[in-house]
Amino acid sequence: NDLKVTSSKVNFVFDKKAGVVASYKVGGTEYFNEGFGIQPNFWRAPTDNDYGAKLQHKYAAWKNPDLRLTSLKHETKEGQVIVSAEYDMRSVSAKLYLTYTINNRGAVKVNQKMVADKGKKASDMFRFGMQLVMPKDFEYVSYYGRGPVENYSNRNHSTDLGIYHQTVDEQFYPYIRPQETGTKTDIRWWKVLDVKGTGLQFVADAPFSASSLHYTIESLDEGPVKKQGHSQEVEKADLTNVLIDKAQMGLA
């Protein structure tokens, strides 16, 4: 049921049935919370403006795009293990390709590529990126990017590029009603750490956007109809939800 990549330092587990990474241990520390490893993600909790434009309906196919694993291969090359997964995304007429390159020190390079069927039509998406869930003890964020407050692609010139050290709690902005929050842009590196300074660092070939919250996307998403809830009424989850995006749609 599993594909396992192990060395004296790293234990990387791919769940063949679910089609996703389920465990990632380095030096005996598990970095994924309850099996929720790094997964493709194209959705955000709709904002007030999203609801106003009815994007929660227009983009609905991307909320759960029905990924079906069609191929899983692995090889060892130059001392590294390369795991390649391919998926069908029939609801959006596309194919998704994920490649994980793992070295014996525990570093993992992840490449995500989607190829759309040019002969079919599909809606735009909120974001193109990945999501993973870490234990709640990973409460500290350090990053080199725009800050210190949240900022998005269409409203980030009011923020400064720099190195920031914050808590995960500080990433959440309590809008009147629950919605997408906490994203930072133009990031060069993003670290999510525990009190001892142990954790994960994310880097990319080009600036990216990211967020880390004690809330899941689902808890901030009021669904197809706005329920007029309040952010303060949403309970924190016992986890740290990390979102890494190549790009995310602006807030409009």
Side-chain angles (χ1 to χ4, degrees):
N1 295 321
D2 296 326
L3 173 63
K4 298 181 179 180
V5 181
T6 61
S7 75
S8 59
K9 290 186 178 180
V10 64
N11 188 57
F12 180 93
V13 181
F14 189 97
D15 184 329
K16 293 180 180 179
K17 187 175 180 180
V20 295
V21 180
S23 177
Y24 177 47
K25 290 182 182 178
V26 180
T29 299
E30 173 62 67
Y31 288 102
F32 293 157
N33 190 66
E34 297 182 355
F36 195 120
I38 189 163
Q39 302 181 13
N41 179 57
F42 314 99
W43 190 256
R44 73 180 182 199
T47 66
D48 256 350
N49 287 335
D50 294 336
Y51 277 112
K54 296 183 172 54
L55 299 186
Q56 80 277 18
H57 297 301
K58 295 176 182 177
Y59 294 1
W62 295 101
K63 190 170 186 178
N64 295 296
D66 191 25
L67 269 73
R68 294 178 183 266
L69 183 67
T70 58
S71 173
L72 181 64
K73 299 176 182 178
H74 62 90
E75 64 175 325
T76 301
K77 189 175 182 180
E78 297 178 354
Q80 300 184 114
V81 175
I82 302 170
V83 179
S84 303
E86 298 180 11
Y87 305 81
D88 268 339
M89 302 172 68
R90 295 180 183 177
S91 60
V92 291
S93 303
K95 290 186 179 295
L96 193 74
Y97 301 88
L98 284 170
T99 304
Y100 307 90
T101 304
I102 309 141
N103 70 18
N104 62 0
R105 293 176 298 162
V108 181
K109 182 176 182 179
V110 184
N111 183 275
Q112 176 175 269
K113 180 175 74 170
M114 187 178 68
V115 179
D117 184 340
K118 294 181 180 180
K120 303 287 180 65
K121 286 188 176 182
S123 71
D124 291 341
M125 63 183 78
F126 279 129
R127 70 206 310 170
F128 184 83
M130 305 197 84
Q131 176 182 197
L132 64 136
V133 177
M134 299 176 68
K136 192 177 183 181
D137 291 344
F138 293 93
E139 164 61 21
Y140 300 92
V141 171
S142 292
Y143 71 96
Y144 177 23
R146 288 191 177 272
V149 298
E150 69 165 28
N151 55 92
Y152 289 78
S153 58
N154 64 334
R155 46 175 264 190
N156 65 7
H157 290 294
S158 61
T159 54
D160 294 323
L161 192 64
I163 295 176
Y164 299 93
H165 306 284
Q166 302 170 343
T167 66
V168 172
D169 277 333
E170 289 173 332
Q171 306 306 302
F172 182 76
Y173 185 85
Y175 287 99
I176 292 175
R177 49 167 304 280
Q179 63 177 48
E180 159 66 29
T181 182
T183 292
K184 311 288 173 61
T185 63
D186 283 346
I187 294 167
R188 274 64 170 174
W189 49 258
W190 181 270
K191 296 180 183 179
V192 186
L193 310 168
D194 63 13
V195 69
K196 297 179 293 185
T198 300
L200 298 180
Q201 175 175 259
F202 302 88
V203 297
D205 293 336
F208 58 99
S209 62
S211 66
S212 298
L213 298 170
H214 290 318
Y215 299 87
T216 63
I217 294 176
E218 293 77 15
S219 69
L220 300 175
D221 184 348
E222 292 199 315
V225 179
K226 195 191 301 184
K227 297 175 183 175
Q228 303 298 351
H230 296 85
S231 291
Q232 292 83 351
E233 296 169 350
V234 180
E235 292 187 16
K236 286 184 188 178
D238 190 27
L239 52 80
T240 297
N241 195 40
V242 182
L243 294 157
I244 305 294
D245 296 325
K246 165 67 176 176
Q248 183 181 160
M249 176 183 174
L251 298 187

